Amino acid sequence: MDYGPHLDIDDEYGKLVIRMNPPRVTVDNTSSKKATLVKVDSANRHGSLLEVVQAITDLNLTIRRAYISSDGEWFMDVFHVVDEDGNKLHDSEVIDCIQQSLGAKAFDLWSLRRSVEVWTHNSRMASVVYITDEATGGPIDDADRLSKIKQLLRYVLKGNIDKRCAKTAISLGVTHTERRLHQMMYADRDYDDRGDVDEEESLSDRSKLLVTVENCSDKGYSVVNDEIYMLHMMQEYYIRHSDGFPISSEAERQRLILCLEAAIKRRNTEGVRLELCCDDRVGLLSDVTRIFREHGLTVTCAEVSTRGSQAVNVFYVMDASGNQVQSQTIEAALNECQLKNCWML
């Protein structure tokens, strides 16, 4: 899959092209008997495919099949989508929601929806946090204050691992959250650092995932296949370097396989899913995570967002040893969250 040149959303020309060519969304319920076809075409930019897939997933819809193509600075995606019960989409409200979620107005907001997102993989944690000034509700533009925040975060996040210090960075621009998380994990080489993971566990984990990379010399591409057995899903991509050449060495091929496996596993959420919703307030996230810590819970993945005056939080938790949490522990933690106004039934 060769996406060709991409538009930079932070570039003025890129912004102009996207405004002049907003995403066009078509919902087709007649072409297929088993699924609803969602067609999205728009100006191509980095993260376009990821953002569209994420928007569909956020609506609790399942993508059964997808056709992805691009031509220069334009892309066209067709998704075969079903609801949670595996049926086509007939509810007009759901269809309207798809058009609103993928349409022109939503395109500029996808990168700003979540205020906190946390991933863990191979004993490493990466997080993107959006912060605002408590007094003004706007961004913090004081350089000294930002530097102090960065210093304190580095101290807190260092933990007890002496050989690798925490890395922090501050950006005042638009950030694509999930792409940034992948970049941070990749820069930290989480793909080849197994840490204290048991070898038998590692082999079992890899048996659920198969990634292959082969050269297709007659077409001038490298072909990437990834198959996730536990999800019964297989994907195929045609890729090449920006200079037009396919993968050229065995070392590069092996590294790509490791990186793709790591990228898939980063998104594989483990643990008990907890959904907490309540009125948003200063210090809410700190209170929730403190309660989890006091009950011996470890957060493996988290997505925290605000919708109007409401805070909508999703956490995946395990015990301190990485095992499933007992139900009484979950109940005790949730009861305390409710008492501290961190959760409403």
Side-chain angles (χ1 to χ4, degrees):
M1 179 174 59
D2 180 15
Y3 261 83
H6 293 76
L7 294 176
D8 185 350
I9 193 171
D10 293 324
D11 177 74
E12 291 303 319
Y13 171 72
K15 293 178 181 179
L16 176 62
V17 172
I18 291 174
R19 289 194 188 102
M20 294 180 63
N21 302 279
R24 292 198 296 269
V25 182
T26 304
V27 179
D28 178 3
N29 243 335
T30 60
S31 298
S32 172
K33 295 181 180 180
K34 297 182 178 180
T36 298
L37 273 59
V38 177
K39 304 176 183 179
V40 183
D41 57 305
S42 175
N44 192 18
R45 63 181 176 85
H46 284 291
S48 299
L49 176 60
L50 178 62
E51 289 174 345
V52 172
V53 171
Q54 186 64 57
I56 293 175
T57 304
D58 285 348
L59 295 173
N60 293 323
L61 303 176
T62 300
I63 300 173
R64 288 221 170 142
R65 185 181 302 170
Y67 298 93
I68 313 298
S69 62
S70 68
D71 182 10
E73 295 182 352
W74 196 263
F75 79 87
M76 174 69 180
D77 299 344
V78 179
F79 301 92
H80 291 239
V81 176
V82 295
D83 62 17
E84 293 178 290
D85 299 319
N87 301 319
K88 295 175 62 174
L89 312 180
H90 296 291
D91 190 329
S92 59
E93 292 185 3
V94 174
I95 293 175
D96 289 343
C97 193
I98 290 175
Q99 303 228 343
Q100 293 173 9
S101 298
L102 299 177
K105 292 182 178 179
F107 216 72
D108 292 333
L109 298 176
W110 285 341
S111 298
L112 300 175
R113 288 180 303 170
R114 293 188 175 88
S115 55
V116 178
E117 186 153 349
V118 179
W119 286 358
T120 61
H121 182 242
N122 279 357
S123 77
R124 298 297 285 171
M125 183 275 289
S127 176
V128 174
V129 181
Y130 292 89
I131 61 175
T132 56
D133 186 285
E134 179 181 355
T136 65
I140 300 173
D141 54 8
D142 185 325
D144 291 337
R145 190 177 176 193
L146 288 173
S147 178
K148 183 65 173 179
I149 292 173
K150 185 176 179 179
Q151 180 182 358
L152 292 173
L153 282 174
R154 187 182 293 116
Y155 175 78
V156 171
L157 295 173
K158 182 177 180 180
N160 57 1
I161 303 178
D162 295 331
K163 64 177 182 178
R164 299 165 79 182
C165 295
K167 303 179 181 69
T168 61
I170 293 175
S171 172
L172 298 179
V174 175
T175 299
H176 188 290
T177 304
E178 294 187 356
R179 183 166 66 246
R180 183 62 186 138
L181 288 167
H182 278 299
Q183 290 171 343
M184 288 190 291
M185 286 290 201
Y186 175 79
D188 203 52
R189 298 180 66 89
D190 73 316
Y191 53 87
D192 64 358
D193 182 4
R194 298 300 301 172
D196 297 327
V197 177
D198 182 79
E199 181 178 355
E200 182 177 348
E201 179 185 348
S202 173
L203 292 173
S204 174
D205 196 29
R206 292 197 65 173
S207 68
K208 301 175 184 178
L209 171 65
L210 176 63
V211 176
T212 61
V213 179
E214 299 177 353
N215 276 350
C216 185
S217 56
D218 58 328
K219 295 184 178 180
Y221 286 92
S222 295
V223 183
V224 177
N225 285 282
D226 64 72
E227 186 169 356
I228 307 174
Y229 297 125
M230 54 190 165
L231 298 180
H232 305 289
M233 181 176 68
M234 182 174 181
Q235 302 175 81
E236 184 176 87
Y237 305 90
Y238 287 80
I239 64 171
R240 59 186 177 188
H241 289 288
S242 57
D243 60 10
F245 290 96
I247 293 172
S248 58
S249 68
E250 177 63 19
E252 184 182 16
R253 189 179 75 86
Q254 290 297 331
R255 180 172 179 176
L256 177 59
I257 290 174
L258 286 175
C259 291
L260 288 173
E261 288 179 346
I264 293 171
K265 291 172 186 175
R266 290 171 200 147
R267 300 301 313 277
N268 181 26
T269 50
E270 297 182 348
V272 178
R273 177 186 171 99
L274 302 179
E275 297 185 11
L276 307 180
C277 179
C278 64
D279 292 332
D280 192 23
R281 58 177 171 80
V282 175
L284 175 60
L285 181 60
S286 176
D287 289 344
V288 172
T289 54
R290 178 185 55 78
I291 291 172
F292 287 167
R293 184 177 66 253
E294 290 175 351
H295 285 81
L297 301 178
T298 298
V299 178
T300 62
C301 182
E303 297 181 8
V304 178
S305 62
T306 55
R307 299 175 185 173
S309 62
Q310 293 290 297
V312 181
N313 307 328
V314 177
F315 300 93
Y316 290 84
V317 298
M318 305 183 80
D319 69 13
S321 301
N323 300 316
Q324 291 295 323
V325 185
Q326 295 183 353
S327 58
Q328 56 265 36
T329 303
I330 295 293
E331 292 176 4
L334 291 179
N335 287 337
E336 186 170 350
C337 284
Q338 190 174 6
L339 289 173
K340 298 293 177 59
N341 297 319
C342 301
W343 179 43
M344 296 185 303
L345 289 173

